Amino acid sequence: MYNILPQRPRLPELASRIAAGAIHDSAERCDAPKCQPETRVAVQDDLYSWIVEGDRESGPPKKMKWVTGPAGSGKTAVMGSLAERCAPDGLLGATFFFASWSASTGRRRKTAFVTTIAHQLAEHREDLKNAISNPIENKPSIFEKNLHTQMEVLVLAPLREVALQPDRPGLRGAIIIDGVDECEAEQYHDTTSKGTGAKPVRTNAQDQLEILQVLRAASSDPCFPFRILIASRPERVFREFFDPGNNAGSFAKKLDLHEDYNADADITLFLEAQFNQIRRRYNIPPSWPPPGAIQTLVENASGQFIYAATVIRFLDMGHEESPKGLLEAILEVGTRALASNPLEQLDMLYSHILESSPDPPRSVRWIRAIELLNFIPGIVTNLLLQSDPESNEAEHLLGNLHSLIRIPPRSDQATAHYGFHHKSLLDFLEDPGRCEKLYVEISEVSGFIWDQFIWACSR
C-alpha cells in the first residue's frame, strides 16, 4: 500500500497577477521611508494596540481605521514601520502600498489589488493556501472580474471555509493599505460606441471609491478576522466616505496624524540623529549645527516630516559645497517664507534645491518628463531626453537633485527606473501658484518629449 501525500497546492496563476512591488517588504520598497527609531512611538503604539485589542469603547467593534494627514506628514513611514512591527508577531495579514510615481502599473492601479491581498493570505497559513487555490482552479476567469467579485471568491469565501474547520487557531491581525489616493483610474474600451473607438472617462476618485467600498464590504463580513488600516491624504472622496454623517462612524474611525499627534518632538529627534551622522561622516565639530538651527527647521517643517527628510538628503548628497554652507543657505531661504502658509517653507526648499541645478528650467522639464516616462528604464530615458548622445546630460542637470529624485546608478540603468522620494515634489511642480518661476505646462512637457524623440530618431 502506497502512502500518497497530498500535493502542495500551487498558485502560479495568482502569483503572476500580483503587484509584488506593492508589498511592504518588496525590493522596490527597499528605500521606502520608515520611522526614525524613537519617533512616532505614540501613534504606532496606538495603532498596534487597536490591531491587537480593538476598540475600547462600547458598541459594535470597528474593523476599519482611516489614517490621514496632509502631504509629508509621515503616513507612509508610519504604515511601513507598523507593518514591520506586526509581521514578526504574526499579525500581518497583507499589505498594499500604492505609488503614483512607480514604474510598476500594478502599484498605480487597482487591477492587482485583490489578487495581491489574496496571495499574501495564501502565504499566511497553509489552510488558507488550500482554500484560495481551489476557486482559482474552478473559476479561472476570476481574474477578469470586478474587485467585489474577486474579493468574494479569492478572500471572503476562503476565510469562511477556514473559519468553519474545527480545531483551527483563529486568524487575527491587520491588512494595511497605504496611498489609496495615489491610485490611478483604469480605462476600459467602450464596446457600445460603434466605430468611434471612444473610451469612457473614468476618474481616479471612482476607482479609489471602489477600493474603499470593497474593503468596507469585507470588514462587514462576520468571518473576516482582520482589521483594516487605510492611509491616504484627506482628499474629497475619502472625507465623504469616512464622514460620520454618512454612517461611517458605525464601521470606521479616523486618525489624523497632523491634528491628533504633535510631530514637532519626533521631527526634533529625527534631525538630531541625522545631524549626528552627518557630523561624523564629514568630520564636522560638535558645535554644528549652530544653536537654534534645529528648532528653526522644526518650525519650518510645520509638522511635515518630508521637509526635514529633504533637508537632510540635501545636506548629505555629496555636493561640492560643505553641509555647513548648505544649511546656512536653507536657513536663509526659510526666513523669507510666509508664516500663514504651512506649505511655503517646503515650496521654498524645493525651489532652492531645483535652482542649484546648472539649468533649472531644463532640469524641471526632465523631471516632468521622467514622471510621464516612468515605465521605461533609466538608460532609455537618458537616450531620449539628452540633446547630445555623447554627453552625460542627466548627471549634469540632475546631479545636484539627488535629494529630490532617485537616480539609478549607471550600472543599473538598463533595468532600473528613475523615481521620486515623495509625491509632494510633483504636486509642487504641477501647481503654478506654488512653483511660480519654474512652472512648466504639461503640454510643453509633452512637446519637449516629442521634440526629443524626433531629434533622437534623426541622429
Side-chain angles (χ1 to χ4, degrees):
M1 182 175 180
Y2 296 98
N3 182 20
I4 301 177
L5 296 175
Q7 186 177 5
R8 184 182 181 88
R10 294 184 177 181
L11 302 172
E13 183 67 14
L14 179 61
S16 69
R17 304 278 185 153
I18 71 170
I23 301 173
H24 75 284
D25 59 354
S26 68
E28 185 174 326
R29 296 194 72 253
C30 64
D31 295 323
K34 296 292 191 302
C35 294
Q36 177 78 21
E38 308 304 323
T39 67
R40 295 310 227 181
V41 173
V43 63
Q44 288 190 68
D45 285 349
D46 286 350
L47 292 173
Y48 187 87
S49 174
W50 177 75
I51 292 168
V52 175
E53 302 174 7
D55 298 309
R56 298 178 181 177
E57 305 170 359
S58 58
K62 298 177 178 63
K63 291 184 179 179
M64 292 181 68
K65 189 181 288 286
W66 178 36
V67 179
T68 188
S73 55
K75 298 181 294 296
T76 297
V78 170
M79 294 298 99
S81 295
L82 185 65
E84 291 192 346
R85 180 174 176 179
C86 289
D89 297 339
L91 293 173
L92 191 62
T95 57
F96 198 104
F97 285 74
F98 286 96
S100 61
W101 50 262
S102 174
S104 167
T105 304
R107 290 193 67 186
R108 302 197 309 271
R109 297 179 181 170
K110 69 179 184 182
T111 312
F113 176 67
V114 173
T115 54
T116 305
I117 300 298
H119 187 264
Q120 292 172 83
L121 292 178
E123 294 183 328
H124 191 64
R125 256 178 39 177
E126 191 68 22
D127 50 1
L128 271 176
K129 184 189 291 283
N130 294 324
I132 292 172
S133 65
N134 293 332
I136 294 175
E137 295 177 4
N138 299 331
K139 195 175 182 180
S141 64
I142 185 60
F143 301 114
E144 309 306 322
K145 303 299 183 181
N146 61 45
L147 294 191
H148 288 272
T149 302
Q150 288 187 12
M151 180 64 77
E152 171 60 32
V153 172
L154 296 177
V155 176
L156 296 180
L159 286 172
R160 293 189 204 108
E161 179 182 329
V162 169
L164 292 174
Q165 295 175 2
D167 303 323
R168 296 279 184 173
L171 286 162
R172 65 171 187 157
I175 292 179
I176 297 174
I177 315 297
D178 180 73
V180 188
D181 55 299
E182 297 191 35
C183 178
E184 300 174 353
E186 291 278 357
Q187 301 298 336
Y188 308 100
H189 180 63
D190 185 1
T191 58
T192 64
S193 300
K194 297 181 180 179
T196 65
K199 294 182 179 181
V201 177
R202 188 169 174 87
T203 66
N204 294 349
Q206 286 176 308
D207 276 11
Q208 293 162 12
L209 179 59
E210 183 181 356
I211 292 170
L212 295 175
Q213 291 170 337
V214 165
L215 291 172
R216 178 182 176 180
S219 71
S220 301
D221 191 297
C223 291
F224 188 80
F226 301 104
R227 305 194 189 281
I228 300 175
L229 280 166
I230 300 171
S232 78
R233 300 185 190 189
E235 309 294 4
R236 179 177 179 179
V237 63
F238 298 91
R239 296 197 312 270
E240 293 181 350
F241 184 81
F242 289 106
D243 184 352
N246 294 333
N247 202 34
S250 64
F251 69 87
K253 296 193 69 173
K254 172 186 172 184
L255 186 153
D256 192 313
L257 292 181
H258 191 65
E259 295 179 358
D260 298 339
Y261 295 88
N262 185 350
D264 287 359
D266 287 338
I267 294 175
T268 300
L269 286 173
F270 169 79
L271 289 172
E272 288 174 345
Q274 294 299 314
F275 275 119
N276 285 339
Q277 293 182 20
I278 293 174
R279 277 199 302 269
R280 289 193 294 269
R281 187 171 295 123
Y282 294 94
N283 196 27
I284 299 174
S287 58
W288 184 84
I294 289 180
Q295 183 59 35
T296 298
L297 293 175
V298 171
E299 294 173 358
N300 291 351
S302 297
Q304 298 168 312
F305 270 85
I306 186 58
Y307 177 90
T310 303
V311 167
I312 293 300
R313 282 196 298 266
F314 184 61
L315 299 180
D316 195 28
M317 67 180 185
H319 197 283
E320 291 182 0
E321 190 173 352
S322 71
K324 297 172 69 174
L326 295 174
L327 178 60
E328 289 175 5
I330 289 174
L331 294 173
E332 175 63 26
V333 167
T335 61
R336 301 196 297 268
L338 300 175
S340 59
N341 183 358
L343 290 176
E344 187 77 6
Q345 291 286 353
L346 184 62
D347 292 353
M348 295 187 77
L349 176 63
Y350 281 155
S351 295
H352 176 73
I353 295 173
L354 289 167
E355 288 168 359
S356 71
S357 165
D359 188 345
R362 189 169 180 85
S363 295
V364 170
R365 285 179 175 81
W366 266 69
I367 293 171
R368 297 295 305 279
I370 287 169
E371 179 187 4
L372 297 178
L373 299 172
N374 62 2
F375 56 91
I376 62 177
I379 190 171
V380 180
T381 301
N382 293 345
L383 290 173
L384 176 61
L385 297 183
Q386 63 191 10
S387 54
D388 181 356
E390 302 299 324
S391 70
N392 189 358
E393 188 172 353
E395 180 60 32
H396 173 69
L397 292 174
L398 308 179
N400 289 350
L401 308 182
H402 283 258
S403 57
L404 305 180
I405 310 169
R406 292 191 180 99
I407 302 175
R410 284 192 177 185
S411 59
D412 296 334
Q413 286 187 355
T415 56
H417 300 73
Y418 283 91
F420 301 94
H421 288 295
H422 200 269
K423 187 177 180 294
S424 59
L425 172 66
L426 304 179
D427 295 338
F428 166 71
L429 292 175
E430 293 166 5
D431 188 336
R434 295 174 59 189
C435 193
E436 297 181 349
K437 293 186 297 182
L438 295 175
Y439 177 71
V440 180
E441 290 279 357
I442 189 65
S443 58
E444 186 177 344
V445 178
S446 300
F448 169 67
I449 295 174
W450 179 248
D451 290 344
Q452 292 300 117
F453 175 73
I454 296 297
W455 189 86
C457 291
S458 65
R459 292 174 192 168

